[in-house]
Amino acid sequence: MNFKDLRYFQRLSEEKSFSETAKYFQVSQPTITYALKRLEAEYGVMLVERKSYANSLQLTPAGIQLQQHIQRILHEDQLISHDLRRIKSKQIKVGLPPIITNYLFPKVFTTLRRENLLSTIEPIVNGSHKLEQLLQNGQLDISLLGSTSLPRDPNLSYQIIRAHQFKLIASIDHHFKMPLNIADLAKEDFILLDEQSVHQQVFQYFTQKYQVVPNVIYQTSEYRLLLDLVKQNQGISFITETAILGEGGIQQLPIPNLQLPPFYLLLVYRNSSLPDPQLQKLINIFSTIPFL
Amino acid sequence: MNFKDLRYFQRLSEEKSFSETAKYFQVSQPTITYALKRLEAEYGVMLVERKSYANSLQLTPAGIQLQQHIQRILHEDQLISHDLRRIKSKQIKVGLPPIITNYLFPKVFTTLRRENLLSTIEPIVNGSHKLEQLLQNGQLDISLLGSTSLPRDPNLSYQIIRAHQFKLIASIDHHFKMPLNIADLAKEDFILLDEQSVHQQVFQYFTQKYQVVPNVIYQTSEYRLLLDLVKQNQGISFITETAILGEGGIQQLPIPNLQLPPFYLLLVYRNSSLPDPQLQKLINIFSTIPFL
DNA sequence: TATAATTAATAAATAAAATTTATAGGTGTT
DNA sequence: AACACCTATAAATTTTATTTATTAATTATA
């Protein structure tokens, strides 16, 4: 059997027109007819209902069934291309979410340099959510991710590098009367990370769980900007401790009995791309980051 | 690209010989050489190390990488055949573990008959463990399974039909002084299901957790035989309540504070085979079994 | 160490398969 | 009824896969 036929069939089942499908692939119309015939002959089943005229083409149950499998096969075929391109070019596309990268990268920099891996890394900077998508469809080879839950995609493997916590933070110039409790936070102005980040969901969870109605004055995707604003005492914020470790001018607000999900720093990769030795090396280095 | 080339490559990477691979497929040796060349040309990478002579052929990292993906693609290709054969023949291969089948089947029999599905079902009777394997590689279309945990195979979907409990049982002629406690069981003779069943593992878990050293006098794979022996008061047993609901001549032994995993009655199927309407019907019927 | 045996690569010929061109026949629209 | 649009078929053509025949390389072994 032929991958081409599968592609033709896939397109046909979306397009619902032989001639349109033919146009799409820049082949003549009978090509599509014959491709379908081949598939039907191979499996001995009708795959499409030949209705009269117009875009009334419909898949039979067998056709729908085949479609499902074709999806997977063609997806796997894409991954082949991505993976072999990586191995060929010796360039590894690494997903890097800013907060995590700034925290982790200094810890491995020397090792990466010594192992001559710095030049093989092609950094793709983006939010964790987007990066996970890119990973799944093969556009990324490996990624650091921040997440409150562990990936449940069976095609992805992962290592937990750290389990951090979310913190409420404020400028050191901002003085609170202790002990602080959650209700006090309603009086404060909040500066937050925007919807690209997991932080927003966790913050929402937090406000609902503890019945806080916060006054959010500004949202940004730039966590450095956020930290600077907090330092200037423009407002308080909610962020993973990852972002503030070793950061001056900021205090963590101790709230008794605050219960939030963990913030995992993960190294994630497709398990089918493990045969690449360069990638292996990279995984080893990141998954054995020394504390401090 | 061609499925044939993938098969050639897969075999070549196992066989490590061009001429042996050619023999296997009953083609001439250059066929294999050219197939490999096509793949290498398509991806622009060397896939095998051409070592000198003999079966010293080795895959490059790129070759190993490709192999991984080929596995999946060819597996998916197998599933196509299985699924389309099912749809074509209108015969659904249904996995049926004895205990669960005897309990559930009477509850759906009338419905299956009314919907004309009885003749559609090709029963495959076996233990749950074996049935799950058959399901995964496409030799089964759907299966009832008994399990203490939910399937974690991402290609399988499932419905929980019942959550039953494991019970200690004895003949009604066997008189105990109540309240019974776990230590008393050490004096009893046990008749158990053998290693084909999940029961054995759960029983082992039970004995370890509660520090019982049971006297097992007989094991069988036939649960009807087991029940008959228990009724005859040849010994006591450990079994899911599934097997004894509506069964006379048997008493459940009430042991306070006995904590065991649940016994799920599951309906399991590959999620990629959902498009088949006949199968859908069957799933609906089984997943909405009325209580009693 | 020469020689036979085995293996993989290449070239050219052949066979097989996919695609195109040309055309016919069906169906809805006006 | 004429037209526009679609799919199917037949025959010709192009492309691709396979074979046959041969060579070069390597090891076994006599």
Side-chain angles (χ1 to χ4, degrees):
Chain A
M1 199 179 36
N2 209 313
F3 274 72
K4 255 190 206 168
D5 287 354
L6 299 187
R7 292 206 185 83
Y8 291 162
F9 182 81
Q10 192 191 35
R11 187 81 198 176
L12 178 64
S13 71
E14 291 163 3
E15 196 86 75
K16 302 202 180 306
S17 155
F18 285 72
S19 33
E20 286 304 309
T21 305
K23 262 183 211 154
Y24 177 83
F25 288 106
Q26 312 204 48
V27 296
S28 69
Q29 168 263 309
T31 299
I32 310 301
T33 303
Y34 284 126
L36 178 61
K37 280 206 155 182
R38 278 194 292 274
L39 290 174
E40 292 186 325
E42 170 152 6
Y43 297 116
V45 215
M46 288 261 120
L47 296 171
V48 315
E49 297 278 2
R50 266 76 158 193
K51 282 278 175 60
S52 54
Y53 191 67
N55 297 18
S56 62
L57 184 148
Q58 266 208 323
L59 296 190
T60 63
I64 298 171
Q65 178 68 83
L66 179 61
Q67 244 295 82
Q68 293 250 341
H69 292 294
I70 289 180
Q71 298 288 35
R72 296 184 182 218
I73 289 176
L74 294 184
H75 179 244
E76 201 70 31
D77 181 51
Q78 275 209 331
L79 295 184
I80 295 179
S81 303
H82 284 299
D83 278 338
L84 294 192
R85 192 174 310 134
R86 178 192 66 239
I87 290 177
K88 209 167 36 177
S89 72
K90 293 169 199 291
Q91 279 295 100
I92 302 178
K93 290 185 181 155
V94 183
L96 300 173
I99 294 179
I100 297 170
T101 305
N102 285 345
Y103 170 73
L104 286 180
F105 227 75
K107 300 185 197 302
V108 289
F109 189 83
T110 321
T111 316
L112 291 175
R113 191 175 180 183
R114 174 161 28 84
E115 300 282 340
N116 252 338
L117 283 169
L118 282 177
S119 58
T120 66
I121 292 176
E122 180 181 330
I124 314 284
V125 176
N126 215 318
S128 288
H129 195 245
K130 180 69 180 171
L131 290 175
E132 189 172 354
Q133 286 175 357
L134 293 178
L135 206 51
Q136 281 164 331
N137 64 30
Q139 295 175 260
L140 267 186
D141 301 311
I142 186 168
S143 186
L144 292 172
L145 293 183
S147 170
T148 57
S149 63
L150 302 176
R152 65 251 160 279
D153 184 327
N155 298 311
L156 299 181
S157 295
Y158 59 90
Q159 316 256 356
I160 301 175
I161 297 177
R162 292 282 191 282
H164 276 177
Q165 298 193 309
F166 291 99
K167 301 286 185 185
L168 286 152
I169 61 169
S171 165
I172 41 172
D173 301 332
H174 193 321
H175 300 294
F176 297 88
K177 58 171 195 293
M178 301 291 174
L180 210 55
N181 62 57
I182 293 170
D184 301 334
L185 297 174
K187 308 168 207 153
E188 299 291 334
D189 296 333
F190 275 87
I191 300 167
L192 296 176
L193 288 172
D194 66 17
E195 68 287 341
Q196 292 179 31
S197 173
V198 268
H199 285 77
Q200 188 156 82
Q201 291 153 53
V202 180
F203 188 70
Q204 216 157 58
Y205 165 84
F206 159 71
T207 54
Q208 274 171 24
K209 179 170 179 185
Y210 293 106
Q211 306 270 31
V212 186
V213 183
N215 181 31
V216 179
I217 59 165
Y218 185 59
Q219 300 205 355
T220 174
S221 62
E222 297 292 322
Y223 89 99
R224 295 291 336 165
L225 172 60
L226 181 147
L227 291 183
D228 287 343
L229 291 172
V230 169
K231 285 179 194 175
Q232 282 179 29
N233 205 3
Q234 304 283 359
I236 73 171
S237 186
F238 175 85
I239 199 164
T240 170
E241 60 180 320
T242 324
I244 53 164
L245 290 169
E247 194 73 33
I250 282 180
Q251 62 174 315
Q252 294 178 21
L253 305 183
I255 312 270
N257 305 320
L258 185 62
Q259 287 220 327
L260 289 172
F263 181 78
Y264 293 113
L265 278 54
L266 302 172
L267 182 70
V268 187
Y269 40 91
R270 271 179 298 114
N271 45 33
S272 65
S273 62
L274 278 175
D276 181 352
Q278 290 274 58
L279 194 64
Q280 286 275 10
K281 240 188 195 173
L282 205 60
I283 292 172
N284 280 339
I285 293 172
F286 270 99
S287 60
T288 58
I289 293 178
F291 272 87
L292 209 237
Chain B
M1 199 180 38
N2 208 312
F3 274 72
K4 254 190 207 168
D5 286 354
L6 299 187
R7 292 206 184 83
Y8 291 161
F9 182 80
Q10 192 192 37
R11 185 82 199 176
L12 177 64
S13 71
E14 291 163 4
E15 196 85 75
K16 302 201 180 309
S17 154
F18 286 71
S19 33
E20 286 304 309
T21 305
K23 262 183 214 154
Y24 177 83
F25 288 105
Q26 312 205 48
V27 295
S28 68
Q29 167 264 311
T31 299
I32 309 301
T33 303
Y34 285 125
L36 179 61
K37 281 208 156 183
R38 278 194 294 273
L39 289 174
E40 291 186 325
E42 170 151 6
Y43 297 115
V45 215
M46 290 260 118
L47 296 170
V48 314
E49 296 279 3
R50 265 76 158 192
K51 283 278 177 59
S52 54
Y53 191 66
N55 298 19
S56 63
L57 184 148
Q58 264 208 325
L59 296 190
T60 63
I64 298 171
Q65 179 69 83
L66 180 61
Q67 244 295 81
Q68 292 248 344
H69 293 295
I70 288 181
Q71 298 289 34
R72 296 184 183 218
I73 288 176
L74 294 183
H75 179 246
E76 201 70 31
D77 181 51
Q78 277 208 329
L79 295 184
I80 295 180
S81 303
H82 283 298
D83 279 337
L84 294 192
R85 192 174 310 135
R86 177 193 65 240
I87 290 177
K88 211 166 36 176
S89 72
K90 294 169 200 291
Q91 279 296 99
I92 302 178
K93 290 185 181 155
V94 183
L96 300 173
I99 294 180
I100 297 170
T101 305
N102 286 345
Y103 169 72
L104 286 180
F105 227 75
K107 299 186 198 303
V108 289
F109 191 82
T110 321
T111 316
L112 290 176
R113 191 174 181 184
R114 174 161 26 86
E115 300 281 340
N116 251 338
L117 282 169
L118 282 177
S119 58
T120 307
I121 292 175
E122 182 181 330
I124 314 283
V125 176
N126 215 318
S128 288
H129 194 246
K130 181 68 179 174
L131 290 175
E132 190 172 353
Q133 286 176 357
L134 294 178
L135 207 50
Q136 281 163 330
N137 64 29
Q139 296 175 259
L140 266 186
D141 300 311
I142 186 168
S143 185
L144 292 172
L145 293 183
S147 169
T148 57
S149 63
L150 302 177
R152 64 255 162 277
D153 183 326
N155 298 311
L156 299 181
S157 295
Y158 58 90
Q159 317 256 358
I160 301 175
I161 298 177
R162 293 281 190 284
H164 276 177
Q165 297 194 308
F166 290 98
K167 301 287 184 183
L168 286 152
I169 61 170
S171 165
I172 41 172
D173 302 333
H174 194 319
H175 300 294
F176 296 89
K177 57 172 195 293
M178 300 292 173
L180 211 56
N181 62 59
I182 293 170
D184 300 335
L185 298 174
K187 307 168 205 152
E188 300 290 333
D189 295 334
F190 274 88
I191 301 168
L192 296 175
L193 288 172
D194 67 17
E195 69 286 341
Q196 293 179 31
S197 173
V198 267
H199 285 77
Q200 189 155 84
Q201 290 153 55
V202 180
F203 188 71
Q204 216 158 58
Y205 165 83
F206 159 72
T207 55
Q208 274 171 23
K209 178 169 178 185
Y210 293 106
Q211 306 271 30
V212 186
V213 183
N215 182 30
V216 179
I217 59 166
Y218 186 59
Q219 300 205 356
T220 174
S221 63
E222 297 292 323
Y223 89 97
R224 294 294 335 167
L225 172 60
L226 180 147
L227 291 184
D228 287 343
L229 292 173
V230 169
K231 284 181 196 174
Q232 282 179 30
N233 206 1
Q234 303 283 358
I236 73 172
S237 186
F238 175 85
I239 200 164
T240 170
E241 59 180 320
T242 324
I244 53 163
L245 289 171
E247 194 72 35
I250 283 179
Q251 61 173 315
Q252 293 179 23
L253 305 184
I255 313 269
N257 306 320
L258 185 62
Q259 286 219 329
L260 289 172
F263 181 78
Y264 294 113
L265 278 54
L266 302 172
L267 181 71
V268 187
Y269 40 91
R270 272 179 297 115
N271 45 33
S272 65
S273 62
L274 277 175
D276 182 350
Q278 290 275 57
L279 194 65
Q280 286 274 11
K281 240 188 194 173
L282 205 60
I283 292 173
N284 280 339
I285 293 172
F286 270 99
S287 59
T288 58
I289 292 177
F291 272 86
L292 207 234

